Amino acid sequence: MSWTRGFRAALAVCVLLLVPTTGCGTGEAHERKDGGSPSPVGKVLDATDGQGRHYREVDKKGAPDVGVEVAPDAAGNWHVRLTVRNFRFSPVGAKARPTAGRGLAYLFVDGGLVTRLRAPEYRLAPRFVPHGTHHVTARLYADDGTVWAVRGKPVESTADITASGAETGAEAGTATATVTANAEAKETEATPTTSGATGTPAR
């Protein structure tokens, strides 16, 4: 009798060891290691930008937003400063997949792509801004290259600047009206800024 009870106890222990423990390394295995949401972000629309990149529409509440300011500096360049909300710049090497509120800012001058920014500041060389009035636009993109959009319009902001082309330094030109994000402004083409600025020249 004693031997039988001992055998049954040993058998029960073996069965318990074969049954996997609930939650033991199973739930966490399906979570994204980078902290991003595993579900699709927004809705990809048929509409595209001038380079054929599709819009990725998200709800207005909590959507990314951007503002742009441009001013001449003492060295004869143009200092571009972006102000973003609900948005973080992705680091170099980020995976090419959309994550809510993440990505890059593309900088345009008069419709031509100048650079892709991973920081809020950039130094625009005067060769991109000859004599006359120009439109400098910052537009937000997801890491997969789609354009962040709200109500069918890209999340962007445009500043109009006027360069005299005669003087240098702080008198080289003036920056005028800054257009709010999502405005129907022309796409706009600028040398990376100094400290903290990261830009990828357009090819």
Side-chain angles (χ1 to χ4, degrees):
M1 184 66 68
S2 177
W3 179 85
T4 303
R5 285 197 301 268
F7 174 77
R8 289 177 179 174
L11 181 60
V13 171
C14 291
V15 172
L16 289 175
L17 289 176
L18 291 174
V19 176
T21 305
T22 303
C24 183
T26 57
E28 296 180 357
H30 298 286
E31 296 181 0
R32 288 269 295 275
K33 293 182 180 180
D34 60 0
S37 172
S39 59
V41 180
K43 178 183 179 181
V44 177
L45 306 180
D46 291 334
T48 63
D49 66 0
Q51 290 71 44
R53 300 180 180 89
H54 287 273
Y55 290 0
R56 182 175 295 276
E57 187 171 66
V58 293
D59 292 337
K60 182 177 181 180
K61 183 178 180 180
D65 195 10
V66 62
V68 61
E69 297 179 2
V70 185
D73 63 19
N77 300 302
W78 293 85
H79 183 212
V80 180
R81 180 187 294 273
L82 306 184
T83 302
V84 297
R85 293 186 300 174
N86 303 321
F87 184 81
R88 290 186 298 166
F89 290 95
S90 296
V92 176
K95 294 185 178 181
R97 60 190 179 198
T99 301
R102 295 280 299 268
L104 296 81
Y106 286 25
L107 190 68
F108 301 85
V109 174
D110 297 334
L113 176 62
V114 175
T115 189
R116 301 170 181 84
L117 300 175
R118 297 182 183 276
E121 296 185 33
Y122 188 82
R123 181 162 292 165
L124 183 63
R127 64 188 177 90
F128 291 104
V129 189
H131 176 74
T133 299
H134 304 276
H135 311 289
V136 180
T137 297
R139 182 182 300 146
L140 300 185
Y141 287 74
D143 289 316
D144 66 344
T146 52
V147 186
W148 289 118
V150 174
R151 294 181 177 177
K153 296 181 180 181
V155 177
E156 63 181 27
S157 180
T158 298
D160 294 337
I161 62 176
T162 301
S164 66
E167 303 85 7
T168 59
E171 298 180 353
T174 58
T176 58
T178 298
V179 183
T180 57
N182 302 322
E184 293 186 34
K186 293 181 181 179
E187 284 185 348
T188 54
E189 223 188 85
T191 346
T193 181
T194 51
S195 59
T198 304
T200 302
R203 292 184 176 86

